[in-house]
PDB file of all heavy atoms in Angstrom:
ATOM      1  N   THR A   7       7.674  23.000  -2.643  1.00 59.00           N
ATOM      2  CA  THR A   7       6.498  23.351  -1.846  1.00 59.00           C
ATOM      3  C   THR A   7       5.226  23.400  -2.679  1.00 59.00           C
ATOM      4  O   THR A   7       4.147  23.488  -2.124  1.00 59.00           O
ATOM      5  CB  THR A   7       6.694  24.705  -1.163  1.00 59.00           C
ATOM      6  OG1 THR A   7       6.943  25.689  -2.167  1.00 59.00           O
ATOM      7  CG2 THR A   7       7.834  24.653  -0.174  1.00 59.00           C
ATOM      8  N   SER A   8       5.312  23.331  -3.981  1.00 57.00           N
ATOM      9  CA  SER A   8       4.117  23.466  -4.802  1.00 57.00           C
ATOM     10  C   SER A   8       3.559  22.121  -5.267  1.00 57.00           C
ATOM     11  O   SER A   8       2.628  22.099  -6.050  1.00 57.00           O
ATOM     12  CB  SER A   8       4.438  24.324  -6.028  1.00 57.00           C
ATOM     13  OG  SER A   8       5.390  23.651  -6.830  1.00 57.00           O
ATOM     14  N   HIS A   9       4.117  21.018  -4.797  1.00 61.00           N
ATOM     15  CA  HIS A   9       3.626  19.714  -5.223  1.00 61.00           C
ATOM     16  C   HIS A   9       2.314  19.394  -4.517  1.00 61.00           C
ATOM     17  O   HIS A   9       2.132  19.669  -3.335  1.00 61.00           O
ATOM     18  CB  HIS A   9       4.653  18.622  -4.929  1.00 61.00           C
ATOM     19  CG  HIS A   9       5.901  18.786  -5.739  1.00 61.00           C
ATOM     20  ND1 HIS A   9       5.947  18.486  -7.063  1.00 61.00           N
ATOM     21  CD2 HIS A   9       7.120  19.246  -5.405  1.00 61.00           C
ATOM     22  CE1 HIS A   9       7.156  18.739  -7.521  1.00 61.00           C
ATOM     23  NE2 HIS A   9       7.892  19.214  -6.527  1.00 61.00           N
ATOM     24  N   ALA A  10       1.403  18.765  -5.258  1.00 64.00           N
ATOM     25  CA  ALA A  10       0.084  18.488  -4.714  1.00 64.00           C
ATOM     26  C   ALA A  10       0.063  17.236  -3.841  1.00 64.00           C
ATOM     27  O   ALA A  10      -0.721  17.148  -2.924  1.00 64.00           O
ATOM     28  CB  ALA A  10      -0.918  18.344  -5.840  1.00 64.00           C
ATOM     29  N   LEU A  11       0.903  16.249  -4.126  1.00 66.00           N
ATOM     30  CA  LEU A  11       0.879  14.990  -3.383  1.00 66.00           C
ATOM     31  C   LEU A  11       2.214  14.750  -2.694  1.00 66.00           C
ATOM     32  O   LEU A  11       3.273  15.018  -3.247  1.00 66.00           O
ATOM     33  CB  LEU A  11       0.588  13.821  -4.323  1.00 66.00           C
ATOM     34  CG  LEU A  11      -0.792  13.830  -4.962  1.00 66.00           C
ATOM     35  CD1 LEU A  11      -0.916  12.699  -5.967  1.00 66.00           C
ATOM     36  CD2 LEU A  11      -1.862  13.717  -3.918  1.00 66.00           C
ATOM     37  N   ALA A  12       2.143  14.221  -1.493  1.00 75.00           N
ATOM     38  CA  ALA A  12       3.339  13.930  -0.717  1.00 75.00           C
ATOM     39  C   ALA A  12       3.908  12.574  -1.132  1.00 75.00           C
ATOM     40  O   ALA A  12       3.258  11.785  -1.825  1.00 75.00           O
ATOM     41  CB  ALA A  12       3.008  13.920   0.771  1.00 75.00           C
ATOM     42  N   ILE A  13       5.104  12.290  -0.680  1.00 84.00           N
ATOM     43  CA  ILE A  13       5.763  11.027  -0.998  1.00 84.00           C
ATOM     44  C   ILE A  13       4.998   9.856  -0.392  1.00 84.00           C
ATOM     45  O   ILE A  13       5.018   8.751  -0.928  1.00 84.00           O
ATOM     46  CB  ILE A  13       7.240  11.046  -0.536  1.00 84.00           C
ATOM     47  CG1 ILE A  13       8.000   9.832  -1.027  1.00 84.00           C
ATOM     48  CG2 ILE A  13       7.311  11.121   0.978  1.00 84.00           C
ATOM     49  CD1 ILE A  13       8.282   9.845  -2.487  1.00 84.00           C
ATOM     50  N   GLY A  14       4.279  10.093   0.686  1.00 85.00           N
ATOM     51  CA  GLY A  14       3.491   9.031   1.311  1.00 85.00           C
ATOM     52  C   GLY A  14       2.438   8.460   0.378  1.00 85.00           C
ATOM     53  O   GLY A  14       2.097   7.281   0.456  1.00 85.00           O
ATOM     54  N   PHE A  15       1.931   9.276  -0.518  1.00 87.00           N
ATOM     55  CA  PHE A  15       0.951   8.811  -1.491  1.00 87.00           C
ATOM     56  C   PHE A  15       1.550   7.737  -2.390  1.00 87.00           C
ATOM     57  O   PHE A  15       0.941   6.692  -2.622  1.00 87.00           O
ATOM     58  CB  PHE A  15       0.457   9.995  -2.327  1.00 87.00           C
ATOM     59  CG  PHE A  15      -0.563   9.618  -3.359  1.00 87.00           C
ATOM     60  CD1 PHE A  15      -1.890   9.522  -3.007  1.00 87.00           C
ATOM     61  CD2 PHE A  15      -0.185   9.378  -4.659  1.00 87.00           C
ATOM     62  CE1 PHE A  15      -2.838   9.184  -3.948  1.00 87.00           C
ATOM     63  CE2 PHE A  15      -1.124   9.035  -5.612  1.00 87.00           C
ATOM     64  CZ  PHE A  15      -2.458   8.941  -5.257  1.00 87.00           C
ATOM     65  N   TYR A  16       2.752   7.986  -2.870  1.00 90.00           N
ATOM     66  CA  TYR A  16       3.399   7.039  -3.779  1.00 90.00           C
ATOM     67  C   TYR A  16       3.857   5.787  -3.046  1.00 90.00           C
ATOM     68  O   TYR A  16       3.757   4.682  -3.574  1.00 90.00           O
ATOM     69  CB  TYR A  16       4.565   7.716  -4.491  1.00 90.00           C
ATOM     70  CG  TYR A  16       4.110   8.900  -5.297  1.00 90.00           C
ATOM     71  CD1 TYR A  16       4.365  10.198  -4.873  1.00 90.00           C
ATOM     72  CD2 TYR A  16       3.390   8.721  -6.460  1.00 90.00           C
ATOM     73  CE1 TYR A  16       3.921  11.281  -5.608  1.00 90.00           C
ATOM     74  CE2 TYR A  16       2.952   9.794  -7.206  1.00 90.00           C
ATOM     75  CZ  TYR A  16       3.218  11.073  -6.777  1.00 90.00           C
ATOM     76  OH  TYR A  16       2.768  12.128  -7.501  1.00 90.00           O
ATOM     77  N   VAL A  17       4.342   5.934  -1.830  1.00 93.00           N
ATOM     78  CA  VAL A  17       4.742   4.775  -1.030  1.00 93.00           C
ATOM     79  C   VAL A  17       3.525   3.907  -0.734  1.00 93.00           C
ATOM     80  O   VAL A  17       3.575   2.679  -0.847  1.00 93.00           O
ATOM     81  CB  VAL A  17       5.454   5.230   0.262  1.00 93.00           C
ATOM     82  CG1 VAL A  17       5.690   4.059   1.184  1.00 93.00           C
ATOM     83  CG2 VAL A  17       6.755   5.932  -0.065  1.00 93.00           C
ATOM     84  N   ALA A  18       2.413   4.530  -0.376  1.00 93.00           N
ATOM     85  CA  ALA A  18       1.191   3.785  -0.097  1.00 93.00           C
ATOM     86  C   ALA A  18       0.676   3.073  -1.346  1.00 93.00           C
ATOM     87  O   ALA A  18       0.176   1.944  -1.266  1.00 93.00           O
ATOM     88  CB  ALA A  18       0.123   4.714   0.452  1.00 93.00           C
ATOM     89  N   ALA A  19       0.813   3.707  -2.499  1.00 94.00           N
ATOM     90  CA  ALA A  19       0.384   3.070  -3.745  1.00 94.00           C
ATOM     91  C   ALA A  19       1.225   1.826  -4.037  1.00 94.00           C
ATOM     92  O   ALA A  19       0.691   0.804  -4.491  1.00 94.00           O
ATOM     93  CB  ALA A  19       0.467   4.063  -4.895  1.00 94.00           C
ATOM     94  N   ILE A  20       2.520   1.891  -3.760  1.00 96.00           N
ATOM     95  CA  ILE A  20       3.391   0.730  -3.972  1.00 96.00           C
ATOM     96  C   ILE A  20       3.044  -0.379  -2.987  1.00 96.00           C
ATOM     97  O   ILE A  20       2.960  -1.554  -3.361  1.00 96.00           O
ATOM     98  CB  ILE A  20       4.870   1.147  -3.856  1.00 96.00           C
ATOM     99  CG1 ILE A  20       5.249   2.028  -5.039  1.00 96.00           C
ATOM    100  CG2 ILE A  20       5.778  -0.072  -3.764  1.00 96.00           C
ATOM    101  CD1 ILE A  20       6.607   2.666  -4.924  1.00 96.00           C
ATOM    102  N   ILE A  21       2.797  -0.023  -1.728  1.00 96.00           N
ATOM    103  CA  ILE A  21       2.407  -1.028  -0.729  1.00 96.00           C
ATOM    104  C   ILE A  21       1.080  -1.661  -1.126  1.00 96.00           C
ATOM    105  O   ILE A  21       0.900  -2.883  -1.006  1.00 96.00           O
ATOM    106  CB  ILE A  21       2.347  -0.395   0.671  1.00 96.00           C
ATOM    107  CG1 ILE A  21       3.754  -0.056   1.145  1.00 96.00           C
ATOM    108  CG2 ILE A  21       1.650  -1.317   1.670  1.00 96.00           C
ATOM    109  CD1 ILE A  21       3.805   0.715   2.439  1.00 96.00           C
ATOM    110  N   LEU A  22       0.154  -0.871  -1.614  1.00 97.00           N
ATOM    111  CA  LEU A  22      -1.132  -1.387  -2.055  1.00 97.00           C
ATOM    112  C   LEU A  22      -0.962  -2.350  -3.235  1.00 97.00           C
ATOM    113  O   LEU A  22      -1.596  -3.414  -3.272  1.00 97.00           O
ATOM    114  CB  LEU A  22      -2.051  -0.237  -2.435  1.00 97.00           C
ATOM    115  CG  LEU A  22      -3.448  -0.570  -2.922  1.00 97.00           C
ATOM    116  CD1 LEU A  22      -4.245  -1.253  -1.824  1.00 97.00           C
ATOM    117  CD2 LEU A  22      -4.151   0.692  -3.380  1.00 97.00           C
TER     118      LEU A  22
END
Side-chain angles (χ1 to χ4, degrees):
T7 58
S8 64
H9 294 285
L11 295 175
I13 188 72
F15 180 84
Y16 300 106
V17 172
I20 291 171
I21 290 173
L22 180 63

